[in-house]
Amino acid sequence: MSATTGVPPGTLRILIVDDETIVRDSLAAWFRQDGHKVDVAEGGKEALHLVSASRYDIAFLDIKMPGMDGLAVAEQIAARCALPVVMLTAYSDRELVARAASTASAQPEPATATGTPARIGPAI
Amino acid sequence: MGLGLGLGAAAILGLANQLSLDRQRTQVEGLVALSADRLADMARRATHDAMLRNDAEGVRRVVANIGSQEGVTRIRVYNKEGRVRVSSLPAEEGTLVPIHSEECIACHAGPQPKAGLERSDRIRMLRAPEGERILGIIAPIYNEPACTACHVHPASQRVLGVLDVRLSMAQADAMVRASERQLTYGLLATGTAVVGLSFLLLWAFVLRPVKRLRLAMERAGDGDLTARVPVRSNDEMGRLARSWNEMTEDLQHARSDLEGLNRTLEQRVEEKTRQLEDTHRQMVVIEKMASLGKLAAVVAHEINNPLAGIRTYARLLRRQFAGGAAGPPTTEQAAETDRILQMVDGEAGRCGDIVRNLLAFSRQAGARLAEEDLAPIVERCRMLLKHQAEMLGVTLETRVEPGLPKVVCDGAQVQQIILALAMNALEATPSDGRVSIEAAPDVYGVRLVIADTGWGIPKEHLDHIFEPFFTTKEAGKGVGLGLAVVYGIVNAHHGRIDVQSEPGRGTTFTVRLPVRPPEGAEAAAGESAASPAGEKT
């Protein structure tokens, strides 16, 4: 999964996209403490730029962001590569969750994300 | 009308009276003339023998005798030449009566004296110096064969002399005057009776019914359609009264029908209004619930994010310490821990701000109203903002126009409006800029204008600036409740807020407040506070 990037085995490359500094930084700190390699982005454009430039094992996307929202970013990512995406939201809006779920199911290889929950789960 | 009738009747009666009196006077005069004629004839016959004998003394006795009768003022005999031969007034015997005197003129008016005269020609009316009327009659003494036998009178002479009798009209005139008086009194009495009776009849049959009708019309004119007129006769007045009664009754029915319809209509309108009000109330409740739901979602989002961060950091730290790192932490570790705790502190503070502002937002319905002078409030705001304005290098100006009326409001909340708007203005204005606070009388009541020369608000934001949690400030510098709170306060005071902004030129907020809240408007204040929707110009 991460053969070409030279990171130690068991280490994940994680992308966190959130406009809220506290959410972004706390999640990043958590995963870094676990020894993962974490990149952060404040918005959708920056995230897409990072996705194009590097390979990631998983991406955490905030749904509600100024400019391009998380769902749009997820669609763009899905169009480029098979990157598992976890949507984050502080809203308990069912409609929004449904929309997020439909976006996730549109991913070409949802199975690639199956291994991740056990390792990153405690943070979510 | 009564007076005219009376005067007319009086005139007719007066004329009839006058005609009757004239006739009576003529009759009386005729009677006196007749008795004078008889008296003259009697005197002539009584003196006939004495005259035949040429016994002047005998004639004088008869004349004196007749002349002494009551009512005979004078009786005399004069000859053809006009010399008085015998008179009841002896002093005038021998005097000459001029031929043109009134006694002689009847016969001697023409060139030839008349030998025979009608009685009316022989009569004349004289007036004594005392005013008394006197009737004079002459009786010619004709020549006859017995006279010519022994006397000197030639047979060709037809008239030998004249017997002149004068009778006083005093008694007859008195009688006529008495009669005149009686007639006048009678006339007056009759006239009064006729006028009185006419008036009574007029009053009973015309004036009184007309007056009743007029009063009824006046009452009807004032809106009382129960006004009826008694029908007392079957004549024109009676028919008029009946027509009036029928007309007012019809009108009354029509009006009661109309009022009934009106009442029904009012009831329906009231019912519909009530239904509409109920619907409106439900709508308000639904709207309120919807905005509360939206608010709750926004609050959840706003608070959830910092809480999520705080929890993550807390777990991170716990895990760090639970990991049982040997020995004291390195400087690097301590610095990292400090940074994390600072962030936790900051985010917890942010949550506190949100809660505090939410409380302020929810409190605004319960305004404590009092009559407030805005000048000291503006001055207080200036004092509070002065330091910050100096720090930012922004000129702060305040101006209160003279004649500013006092306003019934919650002074603390109005101060909150000014402070919130002015704080925003200061933060949105670069150094060397200017922020002004102005209070002035307005047609609406009073006007508070907070203007700045700052960066302005983008057009796309203008529609959202009064929504709760809308902010363009950097994270941590504001929670986006300031303008929502301002909006709620203005709304609760039944005022209005307008904003004008031009990017690069500045922003002007204008708050208009009524001098006092409209009557019975208290209940609405709290309801509308929770659903802000700014009015922009």
Side-chain angles (χ1 to χ4, degrees):
Chain A
M1 209 151 62
S2 54
T4 57
T5 52
V7 290
T11 302
L12 293 171
R13 285 156 303 180
I14 300 171
L15 174 64
I16 298 170
V17 188
D18 199 318
D19 60 316
E20 287 277 342
T21 316
I22 179 79
V23 178
R24 197 173 61 228
D25 288 0
S26 58
L27 268 180
W30 178 267
F31 289 130
R32 281 187 187 123
Q33 200 178 45
D34 281 347
H36 302 298
K37 187 177 184 306
V38 183
D39 282 342
V40 293
E42 280 184 39
K45 277 186 182 172
E46 198 186 340
L48 289 174
H49 182 72
L50 287 170
V51 167
S52 307
S54 323
R55 270 199 62 196
Y56 294 101
D57 298 309
I58 189 163
F60 293 89
L61 292 181
D62 183 21
I63 294 178
K64 189 93 174 172
M65 284 189 297
M68 191 186 280
D69 73 7
L71 298 175
V73 176
E75 275 171 13
Q76 296 267 334
I77 290 172
R80 291 174 195 205
C81 57
L83 174 62
V85 169
V86 175
M87 304 302 290
L88 303 173
T89 180
Y91 290 97
S92 56
D93 188 326
R94 288 185 181 191
E95 199 189 337
L96 202 60
V97 172
R99 274 177 63 202
S102 70
T103 309
S105 67
Q107 302 223 3
E109 288 179 59
T112 51
T114 49
T116 53
R119 284 180 283 167
I120 61 171
I124 300 169
Chain B
M1 190 178 175
L3 187 70
L5 200 69
L7 286 175
I12 291 165
L13 285 171
L15 193 66
N17 188 32
Q18 194 57 46
L19 286 172
S20 162
L21 276 172
D22 284 350
R23 199 159 156 248
Q24 196 182 18
R25 192 174 288 121
T26 312
Q27 279 176 345
V28 168
E29 280 173 6
L31 280 173
V32 173
L34 185 66
S35 61
D37 198 14
R38 291 209 175 135
L39 190 69
D41 193 48
M42 192 179 75
R44 194 172 52 191
R45 286 174 195 276
T47 55
H48 185 257
D49 282 356
M51 278 186 190
L52 274 182
R53 289 194 310 271
N54 203 18
D55 180 3
E57 206 46 44
V59 172
R60 193 167 289 120
R61 270 199 304 279
V62 171
V63 166
N65 197 9
I66 294 170
S68 66
Q69 277 185 70
E70 194 191 348
V72 179
T73 53
R74 187 179 68 182
I75 180 162
R76 62 184 177 177
V77 179
Y78 43 87
N79 65 12
K80 190 171 173 287
E81 285 78 32
R83 193 163 301 278
V84 177
R85 298 294 304 273
V86 175
S87 173
S88 58
L89 304 171
E92 64 170 358
E93 278 181 20
T95 57
L96 196 68
V97 178
I99 197 151
H100 297 301
S101 69
E102 29 87 23
E103 294 97 325
C104 309
I105 199 88
C107 299
H108 294 284
Q112 283 296 313
K114 286 183 186 169
L117 287 171
E118 290 301 312
R119 188 199 297 153
S120 60
D121 292 334
R122 292 185 281 122
I123 290 171
R124 64 201 186 279
M125 202 57 80
L126 308 166
R127 194 168 287 278
E130 307 87 59
E132 168 189 11
R133 286 204 312 156
I134 290 166
L135 184 131
I137 187 165
I138 50 169
I141 303 167
Y142 295 105
N143 199 357
E144 53 186 88
C147 302
T148 53
C150 57
H151 277 285
V152 288
H153 301 299
S156 59
Q157 195 177 352
R158 290 186 60 196
V159 176
L160 301 177
V162 172
L163 190 71
D164 178 19
V165 176
R166 288 189 184 183
L167 293 180
S168 170
M169 289 292 289
Q171 215 173 348
D173 282 347
M175 218 168 74
V176 170
R177 270 199 301 278
S179 180
E180 193 177 21
R181 256 196 314 278
Q182 279 175 359
L183 268 171
T184 306
Y185 291 149
L187 176 74
L188 278 174
T190 314
T192 311
V194 166
V195 170
L197 197 65
S198 308
F199 185 78
L200 273 176
L201 289 172
L202 194 68
W203 181 75
F205 292 104
V206 180
L207 296 180
R208 190 173 53 165
V210 166
K211 188 182 177 186
R212 282 199 188 117
L213 197 59
R214 181 173 61 79
L215 290 175
M217 281 175 174
E218 281 173 6
R219 276 173 63 193
D222 290 341
D224 178 12
L225 289 180
T226 59
R228 295 282 183 278
V229 180
V231 181
R232 297 257 168 88
S233 60
N234 215 15
D235 57 4
E236 287 303 318
M237 290 311 299
R239 279 200 284 278
L240 187 61
R242 198 174 292 118
S243 298
W244 164 261
N245 289 346
E246 285 166 7
M247 190 182 81
T248 43
E249 199 163 328
D250 288 350
L251 276 176
Q252 208 179 350
H253 284 148
R255 185 161 79 177
S256 97
D257 288 352
L258 206 62
E259 280 171 353
L261 282 174
N262 221 1
R263 252 194 311 281
T264 316
L265 196 65
E266 272 173 19
Q267 279 168 359
R268 284 192 191 156
V269 167
E270 268 174 31
E271 209 172 298
K272 278 286 164 204
T273 309
R274 218 173 9 254
Q275 284 175 3
L276 276 175
E277 278 172 357
D278 286 348
T279 312
H280 179 250
R281 249 194 304 280
Q282 286 167 4
M283 291 293 285
V284 167
V285 170
I286 290 167
E287 176 69 22
K288 208 167 155 183
M289 296 300 285
S291 29
L292 273 176
K294 198 174 159 193
L295 191 68
V298 174
V299 171
H301 181 251
E302 291 294 315
I303 291 183
N304 257 356
N305 277 331
L307 284 181
I310 289 167
R311 278 194 71 191
T312 309
Y313 276 130
R315 287 189 201 167
L316 192 70
L317 289 178
R318 276 186 67 205
R319 199 168 65 175
Q320 222 170 21
F321 289 114
T330 61
T331 319
E332 204 177 303
Q333 279 174 327
E336 174 63 9
T337 306
D338 186 54
R339 191 185 69 82
I340 287 171
L341 287 175
Q342 262 182 30
M343 285 193 78
V344 167
D345 185 27
E347 290 305 309
R350 185 175 147 199
C351 288
D353 283 349
I354 290 170
V355 170
R356 195 165 46 254
N357 279 295
L358 263 179
L359 285 175
F361 184 63
S362 65
R363 251 205 315 272
Q364 66 206 15
R368 281 184 298 275
L369 299 181
E371 201 170 61
E372 297 279 358
D373 187 357
L374 296 190
I377 293 177
V378 170
E379 176 56 19
R380 233 175 3 250
C381 291
R382 194 184 70 80
M383 295 297 289
L384 286 169
L385 295 165
K386 198 174 68 176
H387 177 69
Q388 190 169 3
E390 278 169 8
M391 295 283 290
L392 291 166
V394 175
T395 310
L396 178 69
E397 294 167 348
T398 56
R399 199 162 73 86
V400 177
E401 266 192 32
L404 189 70
K406 288 192 172 184
V407 179
V408 176
C409 63
D410 184 324
Q413 291 192 348
V414 171
Q415 179 173 321
Q416 198 180 344
I417 293 175
I418 300 173
L419 280 178
L421 293 176
M423 288 283 279
N424 281 354
L426 285 172
E427 285 167 11
T429 304
S431 57
D432 297 337
R434 201 170 55 248
V435 168
S436 67
I437 302 169
E438 184 196 304
D442 186 82
V443 284
Y444 198 77
V446 295
R447 186 174 66 226
L448 292 168
V449 181
I450 289 90
D452 65 55
T453 60
W455 295 289
I457 303 168
K459 209 174 167 192
E460 64 269 23
H461 289 172
L462 276 178
D463 282 344
H464 305 289
I465 55 171
F466 293 111
E467 289 172 9
F469 300 108
F470 179 86
T471 180
T472 56
K473 291 175 189 170
E474 289 169 45
K477 282 212 167 177
V479 293
L481 276 171
L483 285 182
V485 171
V486 166
Y487 181 89
I489 294 172
V490 172
N491 222 14
H493 281 77
H494 307 281
R496 52 175 296 168
I497 182 165
D498 298 305
V499 57
Q500 274 180 309
S501 187
E502 204 177 320
R505 303 289 296 272
T507 304
T508 302
F509 281 91
T510 306
V511 174
R512 289 185 173 85
L513 297 175
V515 172
R516 56 186 64 253
E519 292 294 322
E522 281 310 303
E527 288 183 358
S528 54
S531 52
E535 292 170 56
K536 285 96 193 175
T537 52

